[in-house]
Amino acid sequence: MHCFRHRNLMTFADPLLPAEKRQLTRLAGDLVRWAGTDGRHFPWRLPAATTYEKIAVEVLLQRTTANAVGRFYAEFFARFPSWEALADARPEELETFLKPLGLWRRRAVSLLGLARYAAKTNGLFPTDPRLHRDIPAVGQYVSNAILSFQHQQRTPLLDVNMARVIERFLRPRRLADIRYDPWLQAASHWFVRRGDVQSANWAVLDFAAIICKARTPLCTSCPVNTRCAYFASL
DNA sequence: AATTCGGGGCC
DNA sequence: GGCCCAGAATT
C-alpha cells in the first residue's frame, strides 16, 4: 500500500508548492474584488445570455479583442439566435457577416462546424473533455469554456492572458505551450478553486487586459504589485 | 512541441 | 509597420 501510494505520488506529483497555492488563492480573491469595481462589462456575461451565446462567442473572441466582439455582439446574435440558425446559415452570408471582425474565412468554417455539431446534439456537449477532441473549433480553451458554462465545472479559461498574469505573479512556465505545462495547468486550476468560477475567470481576463498588459503593464497602479515577482524584478 | 494560419486594432 | 488579441489545426 505504501509503495503504491509513493509511486503514485511520484508519477502524478502536485507541481504546485504550498506557498504558490496560498498566493494564487489570495490573488484570485484580490482580482475578483478589483474586478468588482474596475472590471469590464460584456453582453455575454449577462444572465440573459444563453449557453449558446456564451459558447459561440468564444469562437468570435479567438485572437480578437473583446472590445471588438462587444461592438459586434448584438447584430451577430440577432441574426443567428441559436445553434440551428447558425447551422443553417449560408457560408457566403456568414463570411460576409464576419468580415468586420476579421479572421472571417477561418471563423466561418469554425462556427459552421461547431453549430452543425451542436444542432444535432440539441446544444448539449459531452461532460468528458476527451470527447471534445473531434468537435470542430473546440480546443482546450473552448473545451474549458463548455465545461464551465454548460456543466458548471471548475475549469479555468486559460489563455495567453491568464497565463501571463500567473507567470508574472509567480514564475514563468517551463514548456512553450500553455496546454502542456503541468505547473501552469495546476496553477490556473487552483486559481478558480474557490468562490465563483466565472467571476474568477473574468476577473483575471479583465485584469490582464487593463493592468497586466502584455506590452506595457501598469505595475505602479497594480493592486497586487507588492506580492508580484515580476514587479519585484523590475 | 513547434509551426502555421490570418485579419482587425492599436501604438 | 510591428505587435497584440478570451486559439485551433496541422505536422
Side-chain angles (χ1 to χ4, degrees):
Chain A
M1 180 56 185
H2 273 86
C3 286
F4 175 78
R5 288 286 299 173
H6 182 66
R7 196 163 63 100
N8 203 25
L9 287 172
M10 294 300 287
T11 307
F12 303 105
D14 186 349
L16 282 181
L17 300 172
E20 293 175 328
K21 292 179 179 177
R22 286 196 301 274
Q23 293 176 85
L24 285 166
T25 299
R26 189 175 171 193
L27 176 66
D30 286 346
L31 294 192
V32 168
R33 265 185 297 281
W34 170 86
T37 57
D38 296 350
R40 300 180 295 179
H41 301 279
F42 295 113
W44 55 91
R45 297 182 180 180
L46 297 174
T50 63
T51 304
Y52 155 67
E53 292 177 56
K54 288 182 177 175
I55 294 174
V57 77
E58 297 298 344
V59 178
L60 302 182
L61 284 160
Q62 286 170 10
R63 311 304 289 169
T64 307
T65 57
N67 287 329
V69 178
R71 294 189 289 270
F72 186 74
Y73 187 87
E75 55 176 323
F76 182 85
F77 286 101
R79 171 63 188 85
F80 306 107
S82 65
W83 287 123
E84 291 75 14
L86 194 53
D88 290 340
R90 286 177 35 248
E92 297 78 13
E93 186 201 351
L94 187 56
E95 287 185 346
T96 303
F97 210 95
L98 291 168
K99 277 186 180 174
L101 202 58
L103 297 173
W104 49 274
R105 236 187 293 267
R106 167 173 305 211
R107 229 190 288 269
V109 173
S110 296
L111 282 171
L112 272 180
L114 182 60
R116 285 169 180 163
Y117 172 92
K120 283 191 290 190
T121 65
N122 206 12
L124 190 62
F125 292 89
T127 308
D128 185 348
R130 289 172 297 184
L131 301 178
H132 293 176
R133 182 177 296 269
D134 296 325
I135 304 174
V138 177
Q140 192 201 63
Y141 180 89
V142 177
S143 178
N144 281 344
I146 289 170
L147 295 178
S148 167
F149 294 131
Q150 183 164 74
H151 300 302
Q152 286 76 43
Q153 292 188 21
R154 287 193 175 275
T155 51
L157 294 181
L158 178 58
D159 68 330
V160 289
N161 297 295
M162 185 184 289
R164 182 175 64 250
V165 172
I166 291 175
E167 291 182 80
R168 276 181 179 159
F169 190 73
L170 292 179
R171 69 164 176 81
R173 64 178 180 269
R174 307 229 194 275
L175 301 185
D177 197 314
I178 290 172
R179 297 168 295 171
Y180 299 119
D181 188 283
W183 178 83
L184 186 55
Q185 288 290 329
S188 63
H189 275 85
W190 196 270
F191 185 85
V192 296
R193 188 162 177 268
R194 305 195 138 201
D196 182 64
V197 188
Q198 300 190 11
S199 298
N201 275 321
W202 290 332
V204 69
L205 292 177
D206 290 354
F207 178 73
I210 295 171
I211 302 291
C212 199
K213 299 188 291 182
R215 261 187 288 194
T216 53
L218 308 181
C219 293
T220 53
S221 49
C222 171
V224 295
N225 59 10
T226 58
R227 311 194 305 276
C228 177
Y230 176 81
F231 184 65
S233 72
L234 292 181

